[in-house]
């Protein structure tokens, strides 16, 4: 079950949902409009699942940054979001898609108990300029059936994510970097 905008606002007011910074004007009927943060990691070398991803990091200036096709960008949400009671689902929105930007297609589920600034996978179909703190997508909160289980209790590899995080699949692969 997806929470309505009014239910998101009520849960945020009681502390059941964390959205920081929170702006009630960013609520829509069934979602919260999240923004792009101010930093990108640029991954334009060949990638290997058994090795850490090489990248360069750059701040997105107020004048914007041009994304180019064929490059993987890892970004971050401006907002920290999470909940011990609700799972989250984060996606881009129609306005970003209409600019030829694909954002966060592979891992949209945020588990209960994981309050983070999301690492975003970003790709562009054509050169396109993006700006820090621009609206970039929609976040919905989902009511889970059963007893809530916090992500933090599982000790998984992304438990301590504090910022933009590269793939750490290499930690699981035999012969991968450690």
């Amino acid at each position: 079950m997806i929470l309505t905008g009014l239910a998101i606002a009520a849960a945020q007011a009681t502390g059941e949902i964390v959205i920081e910074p929170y702006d009630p004007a960013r609520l829509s009927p069934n979602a919260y409009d999240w923004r792009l943060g101010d930093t990108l990691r640029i991954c334009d070398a060949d990638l290997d699942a058994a090795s850490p991803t090489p990248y360069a990091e750059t701040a997105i200036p107020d004048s914007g940054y041009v994304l180019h096709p064929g490059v993987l960008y890892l970004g971050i949400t401006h907002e920290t979001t999470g909940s011990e009671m609700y799972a989250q689902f984060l996606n881009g929105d129609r306005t970003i898609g209409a600019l030829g930007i694909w954002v966060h297609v592979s891992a949209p589920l945020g588990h209960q108990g994981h309050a983070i600034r999301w690492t975003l996978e970003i790709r562009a179909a054509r050169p396109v300029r993006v700006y820090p703190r621009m609206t970039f997508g929609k976040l919905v909160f989902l009511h889970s059936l059963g007893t809530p289980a916090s992500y933090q209790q599982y000790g998984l590899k992304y438990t301590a994510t504090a910022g933009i995080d590269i793939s750490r699949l290499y930690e699981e692969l035999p012969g991968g970097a450690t």
Side-chain angles (χ1 to χ4, degrees):
M1 175 180 359
I2 296 175
L3 272 61
T4 65
L6 291 175
I8 293 169
Q12 191 278 333
T14 64
E16 292 177 353
I17 288 176
V18 172
I19 302 173
E20 183 59 43
Y22 175 73
D23 178 358
R26 303 192 72 70
L27 287 168
S28 59
N30 298 96
Y32 187 84
D33 293 341
W34 59 271
R35 295 171 286 175
L36 178 63
D38 57 4
T39 306
L40 290 172
R41 286 189 174 171
I42 303 152
C43 310
D44 63 356
D46 291 341
L47 304 178
D48 180 348
S51 300
T53 302
Y55 63 86
E57 190 165 291
T58 188
I60 305 171
D62 289 338
S63 59
Y65 183 89
V66 177
L67 304 177
H68 293 278
V71 177
L72 169 63
Y73 298 92
L74 297 177
I76 194 163
T77 57
H78 177 67
E79 292 85 2
T80 297
T81 65
S83 175
E84 288 291 334
M85 295 194 57
Y86 302 101
Q88 305 167 78
F89 198 81
L90 181 132
N91 269 320
D93 64 10
R94 188 207 172 288
T95 56
I96 293 302
L99 288 172
I101 300 172
W102 292 278
V103 61
H104 215 64
V105 212
S106 67
L109 178 64
H111 296 285
Q112 291 171 277
H114 203 199
I116 58 169
R117 290 178 69 195
W118 293 66
T119 295
L120 307 167
E121 306 112 18
I122 305 168
R123 292 166 192 83
R126 306 207 22 98
V128 59
R129 184 175 297 275
V130 296
Y131 301 87
R133 296 168 305 285
M134 68 185 278
T135 298
F136 223 65
K138 303 251 181 230
L139 177 69
V140 298
F141 290 88
L142 307 165
H143 180 72
S144 301
L145 295 177
T147 304
S150 177
Y151 184 84
Q152 298 304 316
Q153 76 186 24
Y154 286 89
L156 301 171
K157 65 181 166 276
Y158 298 108
T159 299
T161 297
I164 300 173
D165 212 348
I166 61 170
S167 170
R168 296 202 320 243
L169 184 59
Y170 59 86
E171 295 175 3
E172 298 176 25
L173 295 174
T178 53

